[in-house]
Every structure is written in structure tokens, then in C-alpha cells.
Amino acid sequence: MTKTTYSDLKGRVVLITGGASGIGAAFVRAFAAQGARVAFLDIDEAAGAALVAEVAAASGAAPLFVPCDLLDIDALRDAIVKIHRSLGDAAVLVNNAANDQRQALAEVTPTEFDWMIGVNLKHVFFAVQAVVPQMQARGGGSIINMSSVAWMRGAPALPVYAAAKAAIVGFTNSLARLVGPDRIRVNAIAPGMVITERQRRLWYPNEQSIAELRIRQAIPDAVTPDDIANMALYLASDASQRVTRQCFQVDGGLG
Ligand SMILES: NC(=O)c1ccc[n+]([C@@H]2O[C@H](COP(=O)([O-])OP(=O)(O)OC[C@H]3O[C@@H](n4cnc5c(N)ncnc54)[C@H](O)[C@@H]3O)[C@@H](O)[C@H]2O)c1
């Protein structure tokens, strides 16, 4: 995998939600390797602690891990204040945490609907609300919101998740207009099929289930967490300084 060095990311404060595992962990590793000062939030304390140790050993600098349930907006706000006190103004926010629980339409209760919106959308808005003043104070920043191709392709098992992931693109477009005058750029990334540990365990248990979807990609190779991280690095860096209000599909051309 080609690794580009973005010298402007060195020393920048990068805040990542859901950074303990999956694509989020690839973000933590990739930004730490650039010399950024990385903080991440996650509910999974064991995975978060293990990643801190791994990254510290690899890069010589430990990322700041703040355990947090993003369903609790007060806890999210407290965590962002804590990170701000430790590291200073955030230059980059990656809204990554999500949960792609499958659901049958008839079985979604109002409580479950609220939970799905809470874990996939609500914290995205409130993380942005808390971090934008920091970006304004430093004269700019980059916000990267994780969407999904699920809502574009029409994923029948993911009605609420797809609604939340589509809403994230609407929010991205609106926010980009709102904070563009402050030199804050806002973009979304829509991954295709990325086989993380959780995806393998829950939704793609065997090679055949993976092959059935991969055959619909224009490029036959697996899309990896590093592929998504490479797009995030570009969007975080000044290399993309005139790029905003976009949603980038990183899916191998999935159709
Ligand atoms: N993997 C894919 O194929 C794929 C495809 C399209 C979009 N995406 C998107 O990419 C992003 C990362 O996906 P992933 O596959 O790595 O997911 P994942 O489930 O492997 O990881 C999500 C992370 O978020 C954390 N998290 C979940 N709920 C939380 C909560 N309430 N509070 C704090 N942390 C919480 C988890 O502990 C985990 O570390 C998500 O936004 C997802 O929707 C992934």
C-alpha cells in the first residue's frame, strides 16, 4: 500500500470517533504515522487500550484514548473538552463511529429507531458542534464524516442505517456552506465493502458471501481500511485545500 507523507499533518490535532477498531483504528494508525497528535473516542475500552500500546510502540507517541459512549451527548461533550485541554484546538475531526445492525422493517421499534439514529447520526452533529469553535479559533480545519454506499445502492436489510448515512451527506453539504467562510472544509467518505473484524464475524462469514459482492466492483481487489485511511489523510491535509462539500466513494467501483 502506497503511503503518502503530508508534512502539514505533523503536529496537528486529529480527533477520531470510534477509533478503537475497524476503519477507525486504521485512521488512528495512519494519522499517528504522519506525526499528528491523535485523540480517539470509543466505547470499547480494551480495544482502545490495546491500540494505544500498539501505536505508541510503532510511532513513539501514544494517541490519547478517551473511553466514551457516543450515545451520551454530555459524555461526548466532556470528552471533547478533556481532549481540548490536553492537546489544544482540533484541526481535523473524523466522525467515524457507527453501528450497521441489520433490521427487518416490521421489527424496528421506536426505541430501536432512536438507538440507530443515536449511534449513527446524532453524535456526528454534536461532535461537529463542539469542535467547530476550536477550528474557528485556529483559522480553519477539516471535518470528515463517514457515510456509506449502503444508502446509494439501496441496502434492504439496513433501512435505518441507510437513512442515517444519507442524512450524513445532507448534513455535510449544509455544514460545508455554513463553515466554509471560516476555512473549515467538510467532506464525506462512503466506503464500499471493507471486511473489518466485525464485518467478517457478523455479515460476511465466508469467502462466497464476500465474492458475491466483490464481483460487482469494477476493480476486483479488496477495499481495505488503509484505502479509506488514505482518502481521509488527503481530505485532512492542505493538499485538498479547495475540496469541500463532497462525498467520495471508496468502493472499487461497486455497482
Ligand atoms: N466496513 C464497511 O464495509 C463499511 C462500509 C460502509 C461504511 N462504513 C462506515 O465506516 C465507518 C467505520 O466502519 P467499521 O466497519 O470500521 O465499523 P466497526 O463496527 O468495525 O467499528 C466501529 C467503531 O465504533 C465504535 N462504536 C460503536 N458504537 C459506539 C458508541 N456508542 N460509542 C463509542 N464508540 C462506538 C466501535 O466500538 C468500533 O470501534 C462507519 O461509519 C461505517 O458506517 C463501513
Side-chain angles (χ1 to χ4, degrees):
M1 174 73 62
T2 303
K3 293 281 183 200
T4 303
T5 299
Y6 296 97
S7 55
D8 61 294
L9 291 180
K10 192 173 169 63
R12 284 202 181 160
V13 177
V14 177
L15 204 162
I16 298 162
T17 69
S21 65
I23 295 169
F27 291 153
V28 171
R29 293 185 183 103
F31 280 104
Q34 297 282 331
R37 288 182 294 153
V38 178
F40 68 99
L41 310 179
D42 207 289
I43 197 170
D44 187 338
E45 296 200 26
L51 184 62
V52 169
E54 179 208 308
V55 171
S59 71
L64 174 58
F65 169 45
V66 181
C68 176
D69 182 351
L70 295 161
L71 286 167
D72 181 344
I73 299 302
D74 287 338
L76 166 64
R77 287 173 163 157
D78 289 348
I80 290 175
V81 168
K82 185 174 175 181
I83 291 165
H84 188 222
R85 284 199 189 118
S86 295
L87 301 181
D89 292 330
V92 179
L93 168 65
V94 186
N95 277 310
N96 168 75
N99 191 313
D100 63 347
Q101 181 60 44
R102 271 56 172 166
Q103 288 148 328
L105 181 65
E107 288 164 11
V108 178
T109 63
T111 301
E112 193 166 358
F113 183 91
D114 287 347
W115 174 75
M116 281 297 283
I117 294 298
V119 79
N120 287 305
L121 179 63
K122 189 175 178 183
H123 63 83
V124 174
F125 182 93
F126 286 101
V128 163
Q129 188 188 63
V131 168
V132 159
Q134 298 178 27
M135 293 182 171
Q136 288 168 326
R138 66 177 295 284
S142 174
I143 296 171
I144 300 164
N145 295 324
M146 294 302 290
S147 181
S148 170
V149 298
W151 71 268
M152 304 172 194
R153 298 180 63 239
L158 290 161
V160 189
Y161 175 84
K165 290 294 179 181
I168 282 173
V169 177
F171 177 50
T172 296
N173 288 345
S174 169
L175 186 67
R177 295 267 186 216
L178 191 64
V179 299
D182 296 316
R183 307 293 185 280
I184 301 170
R185 300 181 294 106
V186 192
N187 293 288
I189 300 175
M193 179 178 62
V194 182
I195 304 300
T196 61
E197 288 161 31
R198 176 184 151 88
Q199 296 295 314
R200 166 70 81 172
R201 180 167 37 88
L202 294 180
W203 317 127
Y204 298 98
N206 53 51
E207 290 306 319
Q208 192 193 334
S209 58
I210 295 171
E212 280 167 11
L213 202 55
R214 195 171 294 159
I215 204 165
R216 296 165 66 170
Q217 293 180 189
I219 300 168
D221 309 304
V223 181
T224 68
D226 282 346
D227 291 315
I228 313 300
N230 278 338
M231 176 60 84
L233 292 176
Y234 167 69
L235 291 174
S237 152
D238 294 345
S240 59
Q241 65 179 347
R242 299 290 177 262
V243 179
T244 194
R245 208 173 57 79
Q246 304 299 315
C247 178
F248 294 92
Q249 289 175 235
V250 183
D251 63 358
L254 191 64

